[in-house]
Amino acid sequence: MHHSKLIARISLVLCSVSLGPIATHAHHSRAHYGDETVEFDAEIVAVDWRNPHVTFTIRAMSGSGNEAAGEEAVWELEGGSTYMLGRYSGLGRELFNVGDEVRVAGPVSTVRSNEMLVTNMLLPDGREAIMLPNRPTRWSDSVEAAELSLQTDNPERSLFRVWSIDPDARGGGGANLQLTPAGEASLAVYNIDEDDPAIRCVKPGMPSTMSNPHPMHFVDGGDRITLNIQENDVVRTIWLGENADAAAQLPSRLGYSVGHWEGSTLIVRTTNINWPYFDRTGVPVSEEVVVDERFEIDETGSRMVIRVVTTDPVNFQAPVTTQRHYALLGEDVKPYDCIAR
């Protein structure tokens, strides 16, 4: 489909797909939230509109009919990032006010008292707010997100544009992820409160930084490509051909990336990585990890697929393949301005 206008809709069909550890829009580890959805009425006490995720303090209203809510209990709610709420749900800070009486729904934490991963919120005016990307509606038939225009002005199939997650496609992969005993042992001791880099605003390394749902801008630097990633304000360098000085550097979180062109397709291999995580859920990688990427633009020039093969003999029984879909939607890369929790 190559329509000039795209409406990023919350799709009931797509949303029925379970988002596992290699989720398309995984932000940071949310494994401590249970599977059962809790729903109750509440009053907004405070709104913290910031990255890495928007949070709410609410007071559960007595007589809400849900035992988990408690009588006049104060709860902390976690939603998506400011970009994701605007991009996928069309939501802005002005819609949420202290004193508003709302209805909230989502899974609750299994390790923290009175904490919810809020997926849906019914606002006082009857509108339903989807608080995480690609989640189904609960009290209405459909919810429209921000309108995004597919750009069709790239017939030369140039990579050097701002690319956004394609709302009409599902990325992901990682279905072949099988950990070695060493990998399973490392994952077993991962502690979300102490080890999750996102809540501490630590810039992620490779390959996990490439699983972010935010816009990315590729900039032509002659002998190198600079990749500006909105999430966490990450700046990545891809050398076009070997660079002796860069190769001689100590291992780093983004590693040493070398690329070459096959027509309009960019092929990149990254080594020398010193970053402990494959994704946003604590799946480990070692310094032996090698990441091979293929950035392939379609014939229209408006869409791109990034295919990634991650090899780590220490933690993976076999190479792990993932892919993500992007489109030219006219977005800009904006400051992320992360504030640690």
Side-chain angles (χ1 to χ4, degrees), residues 6-19:
L6 292 176
I7 304 297
R9 296 182 182 275
I10 305 301
S11 170
L12 293 176
V13 175
L14 290 180
C15 292
S16 66
V17 179
S18 174
L19 299 181

Side-chain angles (χ1 to χ4, degrees), residues 4 22 39 45 48 50 58 71 93 100 116-117 166 196 203 221 246 252 258 280 289 293 307 312 315 329:
S4 61
I22 318 297
E39 176 181 323
V45 175
D48 194 357
R50 61 176 173 85
I58 61 168
E71 292 289 325
R93 170 65 181 84
D100 283 351
M116 171 188 285
L117 179 64
D166 190 341
D196 186 354
K203 294 180 185 293
S252 64
V258 179
R280 310 304 175 92
V289 67
E293 299 166 287
R307 295 181 174 87
D312 180 8
N315 293 291
L329 301 177

Side-chain angles (χ1 to χ4, degrees), residues 141-201:
D141 294 332
S142 64
V143 175
E144 285 193 0
E147 184 174 323
L148 303 170
S149 298
L150 182 66
Q151 308 296 296
T152 58
D153 59 345
N154 191 27
E156 70 279 12
R157 299 166 69 190
S158 172
L159 179 70
F160 303 114
R161 305 287 295 270
V162 175
W163 295 89
S164 305
I165 287 289
D166 190 341
D168 281 352
R170 294 287 286 184
N176 59 331
L177 174 61
Q178 293 181 303
L179 295 177
T180 63
E184 291 177 349
S186 294
L187 182 60
V189 298
Y190 179 78
N191 185 299
I192 57 171
D193 289 317
E194 298 177 2
D195 301 327
D196 186 354
I199 61 174
R200 293 179 285 118
C201 293

Side-chain angles (χ1 to χ4, degrees), residues 114-129:
N114 289 13
E115 183 171 315
M116 171 188 285
L117 179 64
V118 60
T119 59
N120 305 69
M121 184 180 294
L122 190 63
L123 302 178
D125 63 4
R127 281 183 291 177
E128 180 172 359

Side-chain angles (χ1 to χ4, degrees), residues 73-94:
V74 175
W75 282 63
E76 296 297 320
L77 273 55
E78 174 187 330
S81 70
T82 59
Y83 166 76
M84 286 191 288
L85 288 175
R87 157 73 190 273
Y88 296 97
S89 305
L91 303 177
R93 170 65 181 84
E94 70 282 356

Side-chain angles (χ1 to χ4, degrees), residues 18-240:
S18 174
L19 299 181
I22 318 297
T24 306
H25 302 296
H27 185 91
H28 59 85
S29 180
R30 287 165 171 159
H32 64 101
Y33 291 106
D35 297 326
E36 183 180 356
T37 295
V38 170
E39 176 181 323
F40 56 87
D41 296 319
E43 177 187 353
I44 295 178
V45 175
V47 180
D48 194 357
W49 199 264
R50 61 176 173 85
N51 291 318
H53 49 73
V54 171
T55 59
F56 299 86
T57 302
I58 61 168
R59 182 180 295 108
M61 300 176 68
S62 60
S64 65
N66 194 303
E67 293 181 1
E71 292 289 325
E72 300 290 346
V74 175
W75 282 63
E76 296 297 320
L77 273 55
E78 174 187 330
S81 70
T82 59
Y83 166 76
M84 286 191 288
L85 288 175
R87 157 73 190 273
Y88 296 97
S89 305
L91 303 177
R93 170 65 181 84
E94 70 282 356
L95 295 179
F96 306 93
N97 301 288
V98 172
D100 283 351
E101 294 185 2
V102 297
R103 190 163 186 80
V104 298
V108 300
S109 175
T110 58
V111 298
R112 301 173 187 152
S113 298
N114 289 13
E115 183 171 315
M116 171 188 285
L117 179 64
V118 60
T119 59
N120 305 69
M121 184 180 294
L122 190 63
L123 302 178
D125 63 4
R127 281 183 291 177
E128 180 172 359
I130 304 298
M131 306 304 295
L132 290 173
N134 294 342
R135 297 303 174 103
T137 57
R138 189 172 182 88
W139 305 292
S140 55
D141 294 332
S142 64
V143 175
E144 285 193 0
E147 184 174 323
L148 303 170
S149 298
L150 182 66
Q151 308 296 296
T152 58
D153 59 345
N154 191 27
E156 70 279 12
R157 299 166 69 190
S158 172
L159 179 70
F160 303 114
R161 305 287 295 270
V162 175
W163 295 89
S164 305
I165 287 289
D166 190 341
D168 281 352
R170 294 287 286 184
N176 59 331
L177 174 61
Q178 293 181 303
L179 295 177
T180 63
E184 291 177 349
S186 294
L187 182 60
V189 298
Y190 179 78
N191 185 299
I192 57 171
D193 289 317
E194 298 177 2
D195 301 327
D196 186 354
I199 61 174
R200 293 179 285 118
C201 293
V202 175
K203 294 180 185 293
M206 286 290 291
S208 63
T209 192
M210 294 302 292
S211 65
N212 80 91
H214 295 70
M216 303 187 299
H217 185 198
F218 293 79
V219 180
D220 186 355
D223 66 342
R224 74 200 71 178
I225 294 171
T226 300
L227 178 53
N228 297 308
I229 302 173
Q230 177 169 291
E231 186 180 62
N232 291 290
D233 303 305
V234 169
V235 180
R236 181 184 171 196
T237 299
I238 300 171
W239 297 96
L240 296 177

